[in-house]
Amino acid sequence: MLTIAIISGLILASILWVEIIRDSYHALSHYWTPLYRLHVWHHKVFRPDLTAASEEIYRQAHWYNDVPEALVMLLLSFVPLWVGYLFNWPFFWVTSVGSLYTAFFLVCAVFRGLGVSGIDELTDITHRPGQFESLPAEWFINRTYHWRHHFDDQKAYYSGTFALVDKILGTALSLKGKTIAITGASGTLGLALLKHLDCSGAKVIALSSKNEPITLDINGQQQPIKTITWQVGQENELSQLLETVDILIINHGTNVHGARTPEAILQSYEINAFSCWRLMELFFATVRTNKDIACKEVWVNTSEAEVNPALSPLYELSKRTIGDLITLRRLDAPCVVRKLILGPFKSNLNPIGVMSADWVAQQIIKQAKADFRNIIVTINPITFIAFPIKEFFVSWYFKLFSQKPNS
């Protein structure tokens, strides 16, 4: 068993190594002019529907981009073999699988350059035209994920097979130029998110229950932010705005602390759960095109109260309700849905919070750029263990005992 484990580990490591080489080469191509002159042919090829501009350009792109890239991968694929030989690793020879793996890509690139009939349909999977049938993948690159590299932000989404390099570089999600609307924008976290999203190049819209326009302090300058006033129960009034929004961050909430009156129950569920659910469904209705599927997202602040006590029963119950509703809707959601699982940060809702809202906002954005679908920011180590376990089993329970809606 140990021998099998060692051999399997070396094989996987050799494949991962050449994929890292490929993605690093790709990223470098967008920053180093000599390589970009070759790589730009790849970007000349495709229209937004991923059909090729011409057969000639498609073939040329492989000679200028894919073949040189595969040759670099092949050359560096021998590094693990050489290191293994040098240090006398057991079974080091199996790392040659990485070279064979790369040789396959090289041969396919040559065949596509030669225009061999049907080879593109078999080997150029992430560039096939047609309606997207799935959301951007989280770990393994699919058409929807890679489309964004061509038509959302060319200086992001570099990964070709595994998303590891994009996650490390923080290029698995680009916020540049995105229109992002945030509810609860006048709150402590809302203001911090507005500030750091603006600094990331996003176009931010503040959705607030207060009438005062929101301004941000950016490098000592007061910057006015587009502010739209709305109230819980008036979600439909935002439907037209949501058509223009790329990312909706549902961040509003309330905490009645120890209250347990009928009014407190109604208020907690209406604000923390049902208002969030209505907004999410309104946003889902705006997802229609391939671009919407690839680029639109919802982020929902559900809190670590999903799995931990918050010393506020109604806050816990209402947050667990919206958390489970999101887990259920994720099974059929038309766009990416992220959960924000946040620990106690200092705010008007939680004056005894121990984390800084500014730091929490930075961590949220950092993890989102690494394409984490469940963004956990807390000082409680239990949450990092309890939440993934809870989410996994609840999701599978919903999948097994609920039915997919009819199209």
Side-chain angles (χ1 to χ4, degrees), residues 259-268 314:
R260 60 187 184 200
T261 63
E263 294 78 15
I265 294 171
L266 180 62
Q267 179 184 356
S268 296
L314 284 174

Side-chain angles (χ1 to χ4, degrees), residues 157-345:
Y157 317 111
Y158 298 119
S159 295
T161 302
F162 309 113
L164 179 63
V165 169
D166 274 334
K167 288 182 180 293
I168 293 171
L169 295 178
T171 53
L173 173 68
S174 173
L175 299 175
K176 183 180 179 181
K178 295 275 176 44
T179 299
I180 302 179
I182 307 174
T183 68
S186 58
T188 309
L189 180 61
L191 290 171
L193 282 169
L194 286 169
K195 175 183 175 181
H196 290 290
L197 287 166
D198 181 84
C199 292
S200 295
K203 303 171 186 176
V204 293
I205 300 173
L207 304 179
S208 174
S209 59
K210 298 180 180 178
N211 293 318
E212 298 84 4
I214 291 175
T215 59
L216 299 177
D217 185 348
I218 307 292
N219 297 324
Q221 300 291 322
Q222 293 300 310
Q223 179 176 313
I225 296 297
K226 180 178 181 180
T227 306
I228 294 175
T229 302
W230 75 290
Q231 302 293 331
V232 169
Q234 300 174 355
E235 290 81 13
N236 282 326
E237 296 181 9
L238 298 174
S239 57
Q240 188 172 355
L241 170 72
L242 295 181
E243 295 281 352
T244 67
V245 169
D246 297 306
I247 298 175
L248 173 64
I249 302 179
I250 302 175
N251 173 60
H252 64 283
T254 189
N255 189 345
V256 297
H257 301 288
R260 60 187 184 200
T261 63
E263 294 78 15
I265 294 171
L266 180 62
Q267 179 184 356
S268 296
Y269 275 88
E270 180 64 12
I271 296 175
N272 292 343
F274 301 130
S275 172
C276 298
W277 173 73
R278 288 193 294 267
L279 273 175
M280 185 170 63
E281 294 296 336
L282 278 172
F283 189 78
F284 285 166
T286 70
V287 181
R288 302 184 186 93
T289 66
N290 271 1
K291 180 180 179 181
D292 295 335
I293 295 169
C295 296
K296 286 209 169 196
E297 297 191 1
V298 183
W299 304 1
V300 187
N301 182 356
T302 69
S303 163
E304 69 174 355
E306 277 200 66
V307 291
N308 290 326
L311 305 181
S312 176
L314 284 174
Y315 183 78
E316 295 167 23
L317 289 168
S318 56
K319 285 293 187 177
R320 289 169 190 167
T321 297
I322 188 59
D324 285 345
L325 285 173
I326 292 167
T327 303
L328 181 68
R329 288 297 283 123
R330 270 176 164 174
L331 300 177
D332 308 296
C335 66
V336 169
V337 181
R338 303 185 194 276
K339 283 189 179 185
L340 311 183
I341 314 301
L342 309 181
F345 58 89

Side-chain angles (χ1 to χ4, degrees), residues 119-131:
I119 193 67
D120 56 323
E121 297 178 16
L122 295 173
T123 64
D124 201 9
I125 306 300
T126 57
H127 295 109
R128 302 309 304 154
Q131 180 66 26

Side-chain angles (χ1 to χ4, degrees), residues 99-114:
S99 301
L100 296 174
Y101 175 83
T102 303
F104 171 78
F105 284 101
L106 176 59
V107 170
C108 291
V110 169
F111 282 177
R112 291 195 297 269
L114 292 171

Side-chain angles (χ1 to χ4, degrees), residues 343-388:
F345 58 89
K346 195 173 183 64
S347 67
N348 293 331
L349 286 182
N350 186 11
I352 60 171
V354 295
M355 297 188 296
S356 157
D358 191 74
W359 181 81
V360 169
Q362 292 180 60
Q363 298 308 305
I364 290 171
I365 294 169
K366 181 180 179 181
Q367 291 190 41
K369 288 181 176 180
D371 198 21
F372 286 96
R373 306 293 166 93
N374 296 313
I375 296 173
I376 303 175
V377 185
T378 182
I379 58 169
N380 185 353
I382 296 174
T383 306
F384 291 96
I385 300 171
F387 180 81

